[in-house]
Structures are given as C-alpha cells and as structure tokens.
Amino acid sequence: MSTATQSSSPLTQRLKTWWMIVRISLEERLVYRGDFALGTLMRFLPIITQIFLWSAVFASMERPGEETTFGGFRFHDMVAYYLITMVARAFSSMPGLSSGIARQIRDGEIKKFMIQPIDLLGFLLLGRVAHKVAYYSVATLPFAFVFFLCRSYFVDGWPDPTIIAAFAATLVMGFLIGFFLEAAIGLIGFWFLEVSSLLFIYMLFSFFLSGHMFPITLLPDEIEWFVQLLPLKYLAYFPAAVFLGKIPPDELGQELLIEAGWVVVLIIVCRVMYARGVRRYSGFGG
C-alpha cells in the first residue's frame, strides 16, 4: 500500500485528497436531507406575499388598452423573477461561512490548516460544493413541485438552449462569487477578531442590491448605474434576468465575461488576504 502511495504523482494524491473531502462532506450533509426538503418548501412561502403585493401594484397602474410594465417587467415576469431568484440565492448564499472562518481564527482552530497539507480556502470550497450537491439532490423535487404549480407565470415558455446554458453558467459563477465574497469577510478576522457587524452590513446591502428584494432596474437611474458595477447583482438579479430574457443578446457575452472577471478578482483578493493573514497570525497555548 505504501509503495502504491509513493508511486502516485503529487497531482493524483491531491485529487484523492479533494475527493475524500467532498465525499466526507457529502455524507455529512445528506444526514440532513429531510431538513433540506422542508427548508426548500418554506423558502418559497414568501413568494405568496410577493404575488399579492405586486398584483396590487400592477392593478393600481393598469391603463385600459395598455400592457402594464414596471421597470421592464410585466406582472407575470415579476412573479417568475422572484421564483428564479430563489433558485439563484440557493446557489450563492453561504450561511455561516464568514462567521465560521472568523471563529476559527479567534479560537485558534485555524492552526490545523497551517500544520497540515490542506488549504483552508480549498477545504471550505469543497465543503460548500458538497453542501450544494447534497441540497439540490434532495431539493429538486420540492423545486419542481413549486415551479409546476407556478408554471402559468412563465408566459413566454422555456428559453432556448443558449440562454439555458448561460443561465447555468451564471448560477455556477454566482456560487463562486458568493463564496469568495463571504470568505473575504471572514478573513478580515485576522485583523479584527469580531466580524459580525461587517457581516450584518454586507447582508443588508446584499439583500437590497443583489436584486433579491426587487429587480435592480427599479432603482433610480442615479443609483442603478453604480449598483450595476457591483458584483452583488450576480447573486440574484443577473441569473433571473438572463433566464427571463431581460439581458439583450448582444450584451450577454460581455456580461458573462465581467462576471467571470469578478470571480477571478475575488479569488485573488482572498488568496492575498489569507497569505498576509497567516503571516500576521500568532497562536498561544496548548
């Protein structure tokens, strides 16, 4: 056995390590499959409030002989938008990531990543990948059930395969942006032991500016142009806008490249913060 291990290349050994982390994390997460299924159904309950709210808004704006739109969205588009943002947020949300990193730094648990050949960010990323795989393997049926009940709101039918592929890409990159954004906040714990206030501010801005609460095209022009420059829109608004055809085809490729650029920038930011944080870190005691 030792001969086979010694004959393995470093890349093979690293792949085996990654697969072991994913497999253990997956088995751990699947223990909570009942919670995943119930949580998915509960996640869609707020959509009922949104349907009543926007129904009243559109009814108040209705003019005889004219199709009512608000920020480029019809009533059916608005409901479909909220359903898609629920899917996008399920990909990009990272509950407990920032606070977990900060706690490991504060309690000294992070020392184990300094004495073992395992990268902290890689380990956490693989754990989150396993979490999403476990979540969607269990939550697919509740998602399908809710979308089947709400199928009448998708009046334009399914988008073409190109848009579906672009939508899938936005979900994957949204996951990475969400992960590295929150990891960066957690890594601030190397300089400030408590990051809960920063995390609260981030969650507040993310709720309003990611498009989770409403499409960012409803913002005043003086604010929207700035929000469009931020990576937050890729967490919820952009995937839904792509799926519903709100992004012009001639701008779709450019927007995807910008999103990919944000992923690269955030990876570099996290790597630099972690490297500098480790050099700054001091551990005392047993």
Side-chain angles (χ1 to χ4, degrees), residues 128-140:
R128 293 288 164 165
V129 169
H131 171 79
K132 298 301 179 185
V133 170
Y135 175 79
Y136 278 98
S137 65
V138 174
T140 298

Side-chain angles (χ1 to χ4, degrees), residues 89 92-94 97-99 101 121 125 173-189 195 198-199 202-203 205-207 209-210 229-236 259 262-271 273:
R89 288 295 297 172
S92 61
S93 64
M94 301 288 158
L97 178 61
S98 299
S99 56
I101 294 174
L121 293 173
L125 179 62
M173 288 192 285
F175 163 77
L176 293 172
I177 287 176
F179 175 84
F180 286 105
L181 264 175
E182 293 212 23
I185 295 172
L187 291 171
I188 294 175
V195 299
L198 290 173
L199 183 59
Y202 164 74
M203 296 301 292
F205 277 97
S206 175
F207 186 70
L209 304 184
S210 69
L229 298 177
L230 303 176
L232 295 176
K233 72 172 185 178
Y234 299 108
L235 303 179
E259 185 175 10
W262 271 114
V263 173
V264 174
V265 167
L266 291 170
I267 290 174
I268 294 173
V269 167
C270 282
R271 284 294 171 195
M273 288 180 70

Side-chain angles (χ1 to χ4, degrees), residues 71-108:
F73 286 79
R74 300 165 294 179
F75 170 66
H76 290 88
D77 292 336
M78 196 65 78
V79 177
Y81 172 84
Y82 280 106
L83 288 167
I84 299 297
T85 55
M86 293 291 179
V87 177
R89 288 295 297 172
F91 267 84
S92 61
S93 64
M94 301 288 158
L97 178 61
S98 299
S99 56
I101 294 174
R103 186 181 62 253
Q104 290 194 55
I105 295 171
R106 185 172 59 248
D107 296 345

Side-chain angles (χ1 to χ4, degrees), residues 49-60 75 79:
T49 307
Q50 296 293 341
I51 290 174
F52 285 122
L53 172 65
W54 287 106
S55 177
V57 171
F58 276 85
S60 67
F75 170 66
V79 177

